[in-house]
Amino acid sequence: MAHPPTTSAEAPAPVQTSAPAPAPVLAPAPARRSAWSEGTDRLRAAATTEPGRLRIIGAVIAVLVVAFGAVAAFEISDRSAAADDVVSRSQPLSADAANIYRSLADADTAAASGFLAGAIEPADVQARYDKDIATASRLLVKAAANTDSSSDSGQQIAQLNEWLPRYTGLIERARANNRQGLPLGGAYLRYANQQMTTQLLPAAEKLYDAETGRLYEDYDSAEIWPYFGIAVGVIALGGLFYAQRRSYLRTNRVFNHGLVAATVASAVVLLWLGVGHAVARSDLATSRTHGQESLKVLNDARINSLKARANENLTLVARGAVLTKDGTQDQYEADYGGEMKSLLAGLTQAKGLAKGDKAGLDPVNLAATSADIWQGRHTKARRTDDNGDYDGALTAVIGAKNSTGECFDQVDAAIQKAIDHEQKQFTTAAQDGRDALTGLPIGAAVLAVLGAAGAAVGISRRLSEYR
């Protein structure tokens, strides 16, 4: 029997809507570590094994030995350069500055002497004046070529170059008037002397002081002990002894050839550094005390003698026309007395510095004796002039025999002889000091490299036992 279709359709099953699956939880990324931290960890891990410890010890020793060589080479190179400057630059410049001063003072003295001789100036006096001016001009050119124009020395050189032609022009005017018998010549000569004493000589003295100061700076730089290099060397040797003692305690082997070679190389550098610099320092100190100091005293004494001679001549040229500020005495006579006092004091000091050196002491004694005679003759000449005998006083001052001029020439020649001797003393001692450092910078660097290589070989021999 057929059944009729059902009129109501069967309800569809409800659709199940599922929630979205949760996202997977990711583990946090590990924090990034710095290269320093990783290196430290590796170093710490290596230090837990004997091969690792040996590598660390070897690296530290090699660095110390190389650092010792580098520091020693650097410090000694600096000291060697300063010592070379003392010998080849600053002392020659100081000597040239002293000669500039001396040449200018001597030119002024020669000009006054020629003027007193009369209208016809003696040929030797004229030649001496011309030589002094030429010497001063040449040395000024040389000094300018070796000096920074913006420095104090450069400024003094520029002023000297500006004033020197003015001075020579005044001298030529004085000569021209003197040849014609005009009294104006004496005025020009006095004015030229005033320019010399108030402008040229003070500038030359400042130049000399500046160059001498630079010389002493070079001395100080050359004599400084290489403290840092010695300290690093002691530390390097301490590290080498520690490594060898450690090797002996762990292996009972007395010597490690590589470490022994490194120790010997480092000890040689340290000994060379200390002894070489001590010898150089001693020689430089000798050149300073028995050379440069004596040269300075003698140069000052010679300049005082030149200035005294110029003032002595100008006393006769001026004939009392120039008085001191209080008006009680002749200005040139007063200046002469002061310069002679300084001359005798300088010669006394030079005697003390030359004590024990007969070759240096004899000319100083001769200069002192001649200076005493000079003073006695000068007193007689002044007395003669004061009594109205001008011609007699003139002969007593510029005469060929038994004059103050003769004494002055003896003083000047004796001081020059002493200066030549002290210059040789300085040159010998200073060159010895410089030579004591020769080869040390290169030697220290080479031995340091060899020492580091020896340490590396010694440590590698120990490492090979663990393979």
Side-chain angles (χ1 to χ4, degrees), residues 172-449:
E172 293 308 319
R173 291 184 183 182
R175 285 173 172 170
N177 283 274
N178 192 39
R179 292 190 188 100
Q180 299 176 40
L182 300 176
L184 189 60
Y188 273 118
L189 183 66
R190 292 195 300 273
Y191 184 55
N193 172 262
Q194 181 184 7
Q195 297 299 301
M196 176 64 75
T197 55
T198 61
Q199 293 183 334
L200 285 162
L201 290 183
E205 184 176 9
K206 290 180 181 178
L207 175 62
Y208 175 59
D209 290 340
E211 295 301 333
T212 303
R214 185 159 63 168
L215 169 61
Y216 288 147
E217 289 177 2
D218 288 335
Y219 263 121
D220 293 339
S221 297
E223 293 176 356
I224 297 175
W225 275 100
Y227 293 109
F228 191 45
I230 292 174
V232 176
V234 171
I235 293 173
L237 282 176
L240 285 164
F241 280 119
Y242 166 77
Q244 291 175 87
R245 184 174 183 277
R246 183 178 184 278
S247 176
Y248 170 72
L249 293 176
R250 290 177 177 270
T251 65
N252 206 29
R253 294 172 183 170
V254 177
F255 296 114
N256 180 299
H257 295 159
L259 293 177
V260 169
T263 303
V264 171
S266 299
V268 168
V269 174
L270 185 61
L271 185 64
W272 192 0
L273 178 64
V275 174
H277 189 271
V279 172
R281 183 184 175 93
S282 175
D283 288 334
L284 288 171
T286 299
S287 74
R288 184 172 185 166
T289 303
H290 300 290
Q292 177 56 31
E293 292 295 337
S294 295
L295 283 171
K296 188 176 186 307
V297 171
L298 290 169
N299 281 322
D300 290 343
R302 191 179 191 189
I303 289 167
N304 286 326
S305 73
L306 290 165
K307 291 165 71 175
R309 178 59 177 171
N311 285 316
E312 182 180 48
N313 290 336
L314 287 167
T315 301
L316 293 175
V317 172
R319 299 188 182 186
V322 181
L323 301 177
T324 56
K325 291 182 179 180
D326 58 9
T328 58
Q329 58 180 323
D330 184 280
Q331 179 66 60
Y332 296 117
E333 177 65 17
D335 290 342
Y336 164 84
E339 299 300 344
M340 287 300 293
K341 185 180 296 184
S342 298
L343 167 62
L344 294 173
L347 292 175
T348 300
Q349 186 178 358
K351 288 180 185 179
L353 292 172
K355 189 175 181 180
D357 181 8
K358 187 176 185 301
L361 185 59
D362 286 348
V364 176
N365 284 330
L366 177 59
T369 300
S370 298
D372 288 335
I373 297 174
W374 180 4
Q375 282 191 309
R377 291 180 180 178
H378 175 82
T379 300
K380 291 181 181 179
R382 293 309 312 144
R383 188 181 302 117
T384 300
D385 188 29
D386 292 340
N387 291 332
D389 186 2
Y390 178 81
D391 291 336
L394 188 63
T395 301
V397 171
I398 64 172
K401 294 292 184 180
N402 300 323
S403 66
T404 60
E406 184 181 38
C407 294
F408 163 73
D409 290 337
Q410 291 172 351
V411 170
D412 191 67
I415 293 178
Q416 181 60 55
K417 185 176 180 180
I419 288 175
D420 292 340
H421 173 74
E422 296 300 335
Q423 183 65 49
K424 291 179 181 178
Q425 294 284 91
F426 164 84
T427 301
T428 299
Q431 286 180 346
D432 288 344
R434 179 188 61 183
D435 294 344
L437 301 175
T438 301
L440 181 51
I442 296 177
V446 171
L447 287 173
V449 171

Side-chain angles (χ1 to χ4, degrees), residues 66-80:
V66 171
F68 171 42
V71 171
F74 174 79
E75 287 195 313
I76 293 302
S77 293
D78 182 67
R79 308 304 189 271
S80 181

